[in-house]
Amino acid sequence: MAWNVFKFCTALRGLGSIMILLVLGVVAVTYYAVVLTNYAPALTDGGVDAIFAFLILLLFHLLLGMLLWSYFSVIFTDPGSVPQNWRPKIDEERGEVDPLNESEFSGSNQLDPSNPRIRYCRKCNQLKPPRSHHCSICGRCVLKMDHHCVWVVNCVGAMNYKSFLLFLFYTFLETSLVTVSLLEHFIEFFSDGEIPGTPGTLATTFLAFVLNFAFALSVLGFLIMHISLVAANTTTIEAYEKKTTPRWRYDLGRKRNFEQVFGTDKRYWFIPAYSDEDLRKMPALQGLEYPSKPDLDSEDL
């Protein structure tokens, strides 16, 4: 009998805010090691060392601020829920060339789950918009669901996917910066000379280096995977579902695929927010409607 990974994920629901506290704990240890223990005291030394320490601290705080902004945006932003009484306008598989009509719904305004042209969630007893999936952990359908992330105690979907990607991006930059800035101090642990500092500060520096180095490597792999997903305009779930499909109807080219996640306004690309104009003119950012390739729409007829 195959192992159901979703039962394991459901058990992780009990962790709740523990995962958030764990992330904040790593941030606290890192801040103590980098700022309070090693680089803030160097500001009083003067000369080149003080300038170097100032630059490290400036970049560290900038990246940390963006990391935390993105992180809490993922946590507190609803990934996207199906609006009440939502009805599809077109067949998801056939697109604009074969629009749905009122006759496909029963007169009692109830949906026909047996209609193959209508995506229906039997758990929520409601229609499923294009690219939405039911999350067994949240107990609801999520718009353009990518996955349920235990590190943010939330689903990653249409409304917070950009924030999640920026969280990965700034986490990689921050952990890489910490790894490089603490590398010299880490190497000193294996030297024969005497190392300045108390046992507590030395242990914190050692722990901060190991944790950040490990996170930098793991997040890099995860970041590369999601960059490839964005380039193909797909999600983790969709990549698994369409692994035998040679062409993907939502793949509009790398530039437009990128804009489907980050918007067209370059000023907002690196912050977890969208411009009002992008939200107004790009329905895909709302998670209910997505442009697709017309040639693939007609091929399905």
Side-chain angles (χ1 to χ4, degrees):
M1 183 176 64
W3 182 59
N4 189 346
V5 67
F6 294 104
K7 290 184 178 180
F8 175 73
C9 291
T10 304
L12 292 178
R13 184 189 304 173
L15 291 176
S17 58
I18 295 179
M19 301 304 292
I20 299 177
L21 294 177
L22 179 60
V23 172
L24 296 180
V26 174
V27 171
V29 169
T30 302
Y31 192 90
Y32 182 82
V34 174
V35 179
L36 302 180
T37 300
N38 292 291
Y39 284 94
L43 293 175
T44 61
D45 294 341
V48 177
D49 290 340
I51 297 176
F52 180 73
F54 174 78
L55 294 176
I56 290 292
L57 291 174
L58 180 63
L59 186 56
F60 175 86
H61 283 92
L62 176 62
L63 292 176
L64 180 61
M66 297 304 299
L67 185 158
L68 292 177
W69 183 9
S70 301
Y71 181 60
F72 286 109
S73 292
V74 183
I75 295 174
F76 294 113
T77 301
D78 191 309
S81 302
V82 181
Q84 189 175 7
N85 299 323
W86 179 85
R87 295 290 185 272
K89 296 180 180 179
I90 62 173
D91 184 331
E92 181 183 1
E93 294 302 322
R94 299 187 178 186
E96 297 286 355
V97 296
D98 191 16
L100 294 168
N101 53 69
E102 290 297 329
S103 64
E104 309 213 35
F105 303 96
S106 65
S108 61
N109 200 32
Q110 296 295 317
L111 308 175
D112 179 12
S114 64
N115 189 341
R117 283 160 51 81
I118 298 176
R119 299 181 72 240
Y120 187 82
C121 178
R122 297 181 181 275
K123 295 181 180 179
C124 296
N125 292 321
Q126 68 179 10
L127 283 169
K128 293 171 64 175
R131 311 184 72 178
S132 63
H133 292 82
H134 185 87
C135 176
S136 58
I137 301 177
C138 294
R140 59 170 177 154
C141 287
V142 176
L143 301 179
K144 196 185 175 184
M145 178 180 173
D146 187 88
H147 69 288
H148 186 94
C149 182
V150 296
W151 290 99
V152 300
V153 199
N154 195 9
C155 264
V156 176
M159 308 301 291
N160 63 355
Y161 186 51
K162 176 185 177 183
S163 298
F164 177 75
L165 293 176
L166 290 176
F167 168 60
L168 293 180
F169 176 68
Y170 288 119
T171 297
F172 172 70
L173 294 182
E174 179 78 338
T175 53
S176 298
L177 174 66
V178 172
T179 300
V180 173
S181 62
L182 294 182
L183 179 60
E184 179 181 358
H185 303 281
F186 179 77
I187 294 176
E188 291 179 352
F189 283 97
F190 303 97
S191 63
D192 296 330
E194 183 178 351
I195 306 175
T198 65
T201 58
L202 295 177
T204 304
T205 299
F206 186 91
L207 179 61
F209 176 86
V210 173
L211 287 175
N212 280 272
F213 180 66
F215 273 109
L217 292 179
S218 59
V219 170
L220 175 60
F222 207 39
L223 183 60
I224 292 174
M225 182 191 78
H226 278 279
I227 290 175
S228 66
L229 293 177
V230 171
N233 198 1
T234 186
T235 66
T236 301
I237 295 177
E238 291 170 344
Y240 175 79
E241 290 179 341
K242 71 181 182 66
K243 59 184 179 181
T244 58
T245 303
R247 290 196 293 172
W248 178 235
R249 66 182 307 100
Y250 297 110
D251 187 356
L252 308 175
R254 292 184 179 180
K255 182 178 183 294
R256 292 190 62 190
N257 291 346
F258 177 86
E259 293 173 347
Q260 292 291 301
V261 176
F262 288 87
T264 59
D265 194 331
K266 297 179 181 179
R267 297 173 301 173
Y268 287 79
W269 281 358
F270 294 98
I271 62 175
Y274 294 105
S275 67
D276 292 336
E277 183 179 0
D278 275 347
L279 290 174
R280 183 174 61 256
K281 72 179 184 180
M282 298 185 66
L285 300 181
Q286 303 293 340
L288 291 173
E289 300 177 18
Y290 298 94
S292 58
K293 291 181 177 180
D295 57 329
L296 292 186
D297 290 341
S298 59
E299 283 181 7
D300 288 334
L301 287 176

